[in-house]
Amino acid sequence: MPLLGLLPRRAWAALLSQLLRPPCASCTGPVRCQSQVAEAVLTSQLKAHQEKPNFIIKTPKGTRDLSPQHMVVREKILDLVISCFKRHGAKGMDTPAFELKETLTEKYGEDSGLMYDLKDQGGELLSLRYDLTVPFARYLAMNKVKKMKRYHVGKVWRRESPAIVQGRYREFCQCDFDIAGQFDPMIPDAECLKIMCEILSGLQLGDFLIKMAWKDVRHEMVAKKGLAPEVADRIGDYVQCHGGVSLVEQMFQDPRLSQNKQALEGLGDLKLLFEYLTLFGIADKISFDLSLARGLDYYTGVIYEAVLLQTPIQAGEDPLNVGSVAAGGRYDGLVGMFHPKGHKVPCVGLSIGVERIFYIVEQRMKNKGEKVRTTETQVFVATPQKNFLQERLKLIAELWDSGIKAEMLYKNNPKLLTQLHYCESTGIPLVVIIGEQELKEGVIKIRSVASREEVAIKRENLVAEIQKRLSES
């Protein structure tokens, strides 16, 4: 029987004992029915699986579970990031977790080898998405969209050696903001840099600096403006000094540059960008950097990367070395790679390195011993007496229906002290108490967990009183 050949040797004894048992009621001879054989095979396979001695319960390398405490931190950070994107007029969108392999190949240069390829499914070769930018470009080309301001928060996958101690994973979350379309020079670029500054300032991670890669600025001047390489290198001499607005002004006054038409055009774009950055109040956060280099092949213009500046280590803190926490740039040619006629849609965008930010925030909270509330429960419904489950259920339903976040213990007759201890340990601010006396008088007691003060109010005024207290806290 072919089915029996699938069994390991250690399962044979169990299978034979199953087959030698008396036949079922529908069998009339010594041959077992198909249902008995199938049942015996499945039972033996299950036992063989349960007997594996070396099975280790763990998450795959480069991934992790997120506890309720982790999720509280993560959601607060994501809320801040997304609210900033929305404040700048971005629309939310999503794309599949996997794409056709040919969609992703040749877009990432040397990093293409880090994609996770999936097995052939229904005649399609697929890969998990490596970032959120290439799928966005595919979406624009496929739907013939010429202008769009969007944000996207989602998981991506990269088959690289994980360094979890630095917040690097094989599966991680990205938060992207992109502006697609033909617009006047440097306005969208300046807004992307402004968004990056707003988010990093809002997260209160400490001082940061956004570096712009001189290599890409030089390429743009030479390739697009026709600037002679030796003139571009002259500008590079200035860039080695680092700087922003003052550096651009200094280059304008150099006679070898100011008398060159192409150099003036290139410097004009830089000056325009820094004028906008000055109006946005962030010019002092931007600096050129000769050493900056991004690995992705689709960037076509200026790229930038935000790094946290080293701050003095507080007592008991470990030094945090997480690299860049945000990056972005211009990729004007990517959409054209997907368009059948090669029509280009200029794009510029940024990505917030939220996994590294999560790591920094979690480490700081750990060092400070900060506790995290894992629920947002506002009110706990309690009783000091037995046989009050029905009254508690009616009361908590009234709170839920009024939009109040409420909890109760899933016991018929819980002890009052147990209920109050639960509120203190989980940080629930208010307790409403109902018992025989309260029911007889038509009132409900409201207890402040922090001060332990109690006050009785009329039952019909309960919701209004709770809402008032919550609004004042």
Side-chain angles (χ1 to χ4, degrees):
M1 183 181 297
L3 186 60
L4 302 183
L6 299 174
L7 295 174
R9 289 184 179 180
R10 61 173 177 249
W12 274 99
L15 175 59
L16 290 173
S17 66
Q18 292 281 334
L19 294 176
L20 291 175
R21 70 181 183 178
C24 66
S26 62
C27 296
T28 56
V31 180
R32 304 295 116 177
C33 67
Q34 289 185 353
S35 62
Q36 269 191 325
V37 173
E39 180 185 351
V41 170
L42 292 173
T43 302
S44 301
Q45 287 178 330
L46 180 60
K47 287 182 178 178
H49 177 73
Q50 292 172 340
E51 292 169 3
K52 289 182 180 178
N54 299 321
F55 180 67
I56 300 174
I57 300 177
K58 64 184 288 290
T59 58
K61 289 181 180 178
T63 66
R64 65 167 179 167
D65 293 322
L66 294 172
S67 68
Q69 288 81 5
H70 287 137
M71 287 303 298
V72 170
V73 177
R74 176 169 292 235
E75 287 174 354
K76 286 183 178 178
I77 292 172
L78 289 179
D79 285 347
L80 186 148
V81 172
I82 293 172
S83 66
C84 180
F85 291 161
K86 289 182 176 180
R87 187 165 61 246
H88 285 263
K91 304 172 183 177
M93 65 167 290
D94 195 8
T95 61
F98 47 83
E99 297 272 352
L100 295 177
K101 183 177 180 180
E102 60 185 301
T103 297
L104 304 180
T105 51
E106 300 181 2
K107 309 298 189 302
Y108 302 110
E110 295 178 357
D111 289 348
S112 292
L114 301 180
M115 292 190 306
Y116 274 107
D117 294 334
L118 306 178
K119 289 185 178 180
D120 187 323
Q121 299 288 334
E124 291 185 332
L125 293 176
L126 308 172
S127 297
L128 292 175
R129 64 188 181 199
Y130 181 89
D131 67 4
L132 303 178
T133 306
V134 172
F136 176 54
R138 187 265 307 153
Y139 174 89
L140 294 175
M142 189 176 79
N143 294 282
K144 298 181 175 60
V145 178
K146 295 182 179 180
K147 286 187 179 181
M148 187 177 187
K149 185 187 289 188
R150 70 99 197 211
Y151 76 88
H152 187 179
V153 176
K155 284 189 175 182
V156 298
W157 294 265
R158 297 185 183 178
R159 190 170 50 86
E160 58 184 346
S161 298
I164 295 177
V165 293
Q166 295 181 356
R168 293 174 64 93
Y169 299 90
R170 288 174 170 171
E171 176 190 71
F172 57 95
C173 177
Q174 277 196 336
C175 297
D176 282 18
F177 174 96
D178 295 89
I179 301 173
Q182 187 71 51
F183 302 102
D184 287 342
M186 297 301 173
I187 302 176
D189 307 69
E191 183 171 11
C192 285
L193 291 166
K194 172 64 172 171
I195 289 170
M196 196 178 284
C197 287
E198 285 182 11
I199 290 173
L200 295 180
S201 297
L203 291 171
Q204 299 180 352
L205 301 175
D207 289 338
F208 61 91
L209 182 67
I210 299 177
K211 301 180 179 182
M212 299 171 64
W214 163 246
K215 178 177 69 72
D216 295 278
V217 176
R218 180 187 185 279
H219 172 76
E220 194 166 353
M221 287 182 171
V222 173
K224 296 184 179 180
K225 303 294 184 183
L227 185 65
E230 60 272 16
V231 180
D233 291 335
R234 173 60 182 161
I235 299 174
D237 293 338
Y238 284 99
V239 174
Q240 290 186 58
C241 303
H242 297 284
V245 180
S246 59
L247 179 64
V248 176
E249 291 293 345
Q250 189 178 352
M251 286 187 283
F252 263 107
Q253 295 175 14
D254 187 316
R256 284 171 289 182
L257 299 179
S258 60
Q259 295 174 10
N260 185 297
K261 181 181 177 181
Q262 289 81 13
L264 285 176
E265 288 180 4
L267 291 174
D269 285 345
L270 287 177
K271 183 179 181 183
L272 189 62
L273 174 61
F274 274 97
E275 283 179 1
Y276 297 153
L277 298 179
T278 301
L279 292 171
F280 284 156
I282 60 170
D284 61 326
K285 293 291 186 181
I286 315 297
S287 173
F288 288 110
D289 196 312
L290 282 170
S291 63
L292 184 60
R294 301 283 292 161
L296 301 179
D297 271 10
Y298 52 66
Y299 285 120
T300 58
V302 178
I303 64 170
Y304 33 85
E305 197 168 89
V307 294
L308 298 182
L309 301 178
Q310 292 294 331
T311 55
I313 299 173
Q314 302 297 321
E317 281 192 1
D318 296 323
L320 298 174
N321 180 23
V322 295
S324 68
V325 290
R330 181 161 285 282
Y331 52 101
D332 291 343
L334 187 56
V335 178
M337 293 184 183
F338 298 107
H339 198 282
K341 296 183 180 180
H343 291 168
K344 292 184 178 181
V345 177
C347 294
V348 62
L350 64 97
S351 183
I352 303 296
V354 285
E355 295 292 350
R356 294 179 179 182
I357 292 172
F358 295 151
Y359 172 74
I360 294 170
V361 174
E362 287 165 3
Q363 289 301 307
R364 288 182 176 175
M365 293 180 68
K366 180 180 178 182
N367 292 335
K368 293 179 180 179
E370 293 182 20
K371 292 185 178 180
V372 177
R373 272 199 73 190
T374 54
T375 72
E376 296 182 5
T377 305
Q378 300 165 314
V379 179
F380 187 87
V381 177
T383 183
Q385 285 147 343
K386 294 182 179 180
N387 303 319
F388 262 76
L389 176 60
Q390 291 186 355
E391 292 299 328
R392 284 191 292 146
L393 291 175
K394 286 193 293 184
L395 187 53
I396 199 169
E398 183 180 343
L399 297 177
W400 287 336
D401 293 343
S402 301
I404 296 171
K405 300 168 185 174
E407 278 189 73
M408 57 174 273
L409 291 189
Y410 301 143
K411 297 187 72 173
N412 272 310
N413 301 307
K415 294 181 179 179
L416 181 60
L417 193 59
T418 301
Q419 299 170 84
L420 297 179
H421 280 168
Y422 177 80
C423 296
E424 291 178 353
S425 64
T426 56
I428 299 174
L430 297 176
V431 183
V432 294
I433 302 173
I434 184 168
E436 291 180 358
Q437 188 67 28
E438 289 79 18
L439 192 63
K440 183 186 299 184
E441 297 176 1
V443 299
I444 300 288
K445 282 184 182 176
I446 298 182
R447 178 186 174 98
S448 169
V449 175
S451 66
R452 300 186 177 182
E453 295 178 351
E454 294 183 358
V455 61
I457 64 166
K458 291 184 178 180
R459 171 68 181 262
E460 59 266 26
N461 297 334
L462 175 64
V463 170
E465 178 63 23
I466 289 176
Q467 290 174 336
K468 178 185 175 184
R469 291 190 176 213
L470 293 175
S471 65
E472 294 173 349
S473 62

